[in-house]
Amino acid sequence: MTNEDIEHLSAMLKARSGLILGSDKTYLIESRLAPVARKEGFSSVSALLTALRTKRDEKLMAMVTDAMTTNETFFFRDKVPFDQFKSDVLPALAKTRLNGEIKIWCAACSTGQEPYSLAMLMEESRAQFPRVNLDILATDISDRCLEKAQSGLYTQFEVQRGLPITMMVKNFEKVDEMWRISPKMRQSIRFKKLNLLDDLRGIGRMDVIYCRNVLIYFDLETKKKVLEQMAQLLPDDGYLFLGAAETVLGITDAFKPMPGMRGLYIKNQAVKTEAARRLA
Amino acid sequence: MKTCLVVDDSRVIRKVARRILENLQFEVIEANDGLEALNSCKEKMPSAILLDWNMPVMDGITFLRQLRKEEGGKQPVVVFCTTENDLAHITEALTEGASEYIMKPFDGEILEAKFSEVGLI
């Protein structure tokens, strides 16, 4: 494939999905797009890329974007944020939320693997927390992603990334060559379209916010705005999960890192005081 | 160094698996079918076994049942790696003592994730 083709693909992906294609991604492009090329009758991925650049075929652009971005999330991605939820966040909130309801917001849920992972994790912890009920709201800007998330249908490749086989057996059924998560799991999550750049007050109070690997695409000012709005939605003992490569440091003092917990943030004392003063 | 026995009747699959596993710092041994694998295990138990289902001479699930009866045969962590991809096969494999299950086609990412899931890496 030519540099021109790759550059065009890069620009198209960034514009359509925010996905930044790093350098030297020939292998990634090849492995993700080979099935698309085959399906659409191109002799090679190179031929597909050339057609993509010269024909501007909307259907093809959408298919390629899908193929390149589908795997940007997976079940139990990074593992740590789910381990921390189980070991620290869930026990702490179970103690203080007397009605047993814990409200969670997956702020960029993509194709649904993050909220479903949390729902499955809760099922695994059921014996330990019989009274707890997770109220999970999952939002994304992409209709395509939400549609897929709601369908609960995943490819064989997707159910193998991060999902332990025992959990797959417990929660999925095979539908032709795809795997569908159980109706119980699908019904446990509210999916909704939302742009994080909009006013977030309508979301309402949340106990835990997962906002992972999305702020990296925003500029500093937007990051600050989103984080500060999120701080308003969380009570003083709420939690914010960011992606492994993300931080609040140098962006806002609304949050501070939780010591020893990579990626986990709690509200800053200064903000708490400010909020208390405003309420008084 | 941990050892992984790769059991598959396809030389190509064994080669692909070997390359991935060696990158994950495993010493790789190969077997062409279940019987060869069983003999290899009797000689020395590996830490992990990547196991195909359909093979001539002795298939994967028969091998697994025999292995678990051997002295020290409960130690190796067994990960199936097969084109059999229905719940009945997966459940049978887990019942017989497999720890994880990879549905072909697979790649390095899946293999690494599954091995990490069962604590091999």
Side-chain angles (χ1 to χ4, degrees), chain B residues 33-50:
Chain B
D33 60 61
L35 190 63
E36 255 186 40
L38 199 60
N39 289 331
S40 164
C41 287
K42 281 178 186 167
E43 217 166 275
K44 192 171 182 275
M45 285 293 168
S47 328
I49 302 174
L50 189 71

Side-chain angles (χ1 to χ4, degrees), chain A residues 80-97:
Chain A
V80 175
F82 299 95
D83 291 344
Q84 289 169 345
F85 180 77
K86 199 176 168 181
S87 65
D88 291 79
V89 174
L90 180 57
L93 290 173
K95 229 180 274 174
T96 51
R97 302 300 184 264

Side-chain angles (χ1 to χ4, degrees), chain A residues 156 160-161 165 174 179, chain B residues 85 100 103-104 107 109:
Chain A
Q156 183 166 293
Q160 299 210 78
R161 282 183 100 202
I165 195 74
K174 197 166 175 232
W179 292 85
Chain B
N85 61 1
E100 259 298 345
M103 298 176 276
K104 287 176 183 167
D107 62 8
E109 218 171 323

Side-chain angles (χ1 to χ4, degrees), chain A residues 3 6-7 9-11 13-14 18-29 68 72 217:
Chain A
N3 279 338
I6 294 176
E7 271 164 32
L9 174 71
S10 254
L13 288 171
K14 192 182 168 197
L19 177 72
I20 313 287
L21 199 63
S23 56
D24 195 25
K25 284 287 156 51
T26 320
Y27 170 78
L28 182 78
I29 297 167
M68 291 303 295
E72 284 313 297
Y217 299 120

Side-chain angles (χ1 to χ4, degrees), chain A residues 74-133:
Chain A
F74 41 96
F75 291 103
F76 296 98
R77 183 177 186 180
D78 299 337
K79 215 160 180 304
V80 175
F82 299 95
D83 291 344
Q84 289 169 345
F85 180 77
K86 199 176 168 181
S87 65
D88 291 79
V89 174
L90 180 57
L93 290 173
K95 229 180 274 174
T96 51
R97 302 300 184 264
L98 297 176
N99 64 357
E101 189 175 79
I102 298 173
K103 293 173 92 67
I104 300 182
W105 175 27
C106 295
C109 72
S110 180
T111 43
Q113 282 92 329
E114 184 179 79
Y116 284 134
S117 297
L118 286 166
M120 286 188 278
L121 194 63
M122 190 61 231
E123 273 306 294
E124 300 282 306
S125 313
R126 186 51 64 203
Q128 207 187 336
F129 303 100
R131 284 186 335 104
V132 170
N133 172 43

Side-chain angles (χ1 to χ4, degrees), chain B residues 59-77:
Chain B
D59 67 17
I61 197 78
T62 311
F63 159 77
L64 177 55
R65 286 195 196 105
Q66 302 272 357
L67 169 76
R68 293 311 194 201
K69 286 183 205 150
E70 293 294 323
E71 194 187 329
K74 294 205 165 50
Q75 286 162 8
V77 174

